[in-house]
Amino acid sequence: MPDRDAVDAALRRAIAEGELAERTGDVPVGAVVLDADGTVLGTGRNEREATGDPTAHAEVLALRAAARARGEWRLSGCTLAVTLEPCTMCAGAIVLSRVDRLVFGARDAKAGAVGSLWDVVRDPRLNHRPEVVPPDLVSEDVTARCADLLTRFFERRRIR
């Protein structure tokens, strides 16, 4: 288990990415991939609205950037930090990329695939299962920022 300060720092970086997503009308979800020594290999934010690509989720884009930086698809030794619990597509990408650890800041009761609706990343039938650091193991102020980012976004959309 990584130390809480490192987890919080990674999620703060992901929050900054999520804030950028909102500028293009995308749901403000951000992600960052760190190598074993904490160096950022890739970042991503939701870009479905910006690009018209249904697979342009923050996690997928961060994993792609990290694989390019590393020069291979295997991201062993890496940590993916994301502001929102991954969906089934992203959970599958996490397993297939061989990320060692997943950290997420807010649960997703409607589409979460890391324990809320499904638990893709810990399915024993799969060949890889990353360590999961759920919101209850993250500092409260950081998880609150992850949740607030989404809450504010959807509140503004309902007001329009």
Side-chain angles (χ1 to χ4, degrees), residues 1-84:
M1 172 72 76
D3 71 71
R4 183 171 274 191
D5 289 340
V7 166
D8 291 351
L11 277 173
R12 282 189 193 95
R13 181 101 189 223
I15 289 166
E17 286 295 319
E19 291 169 342
L20 294 172
E22 192 169 7
R23 295 179 186 175
T24 59
D26 280 283
V27 176
V29 176
V32 60
V33 177
L34 308 162
D35 69 10
D37 69 5
T39 301
V40 174
L41 293 177
T43 61
R45 58 185 165 271
N46 278 359
E47 294 183 6
R48 292 188 312 167
E49 299 298 329
T51 63
D53 178 353
T55 68
H57 288 209
E59 302 94 322
V60 170
L61 298 176
L63 291 168
R64 287 176 184 165
R68 277 192 305 274
R70 194 174 247 198
E72 67 170 319
W73 63 268
R74 287 177 192 85
L75 298 176
S76 302
C78 292
T79 296
L80 171 67
V82 61
T83 57
L84 181 65

Side-chain angles (χ1 to χ4, degrees), residues 85-86 91 102 104 107 112-122 132:
E85 179 180 358
L102 166 65
F104 65 98
R107 295 196 185 278
V114 186
S116 289
L117 290 182
W118 300 280
D119 202 347
V120 173
V121 300
R122 290 181 281 215
V132 175

Side-chain angles (χ1 to χ4, degrees), residues 73 92 95-98 120-121 123-130:
W73 63 268
V95 170
L96 293 173
S97 69
R98 308 295 195 273
V120 173
V121 300
D123 189 319
R125 296 170 293 182
L126 298 175
N127 64 337
H128 178 73
R129 287 177 297 285

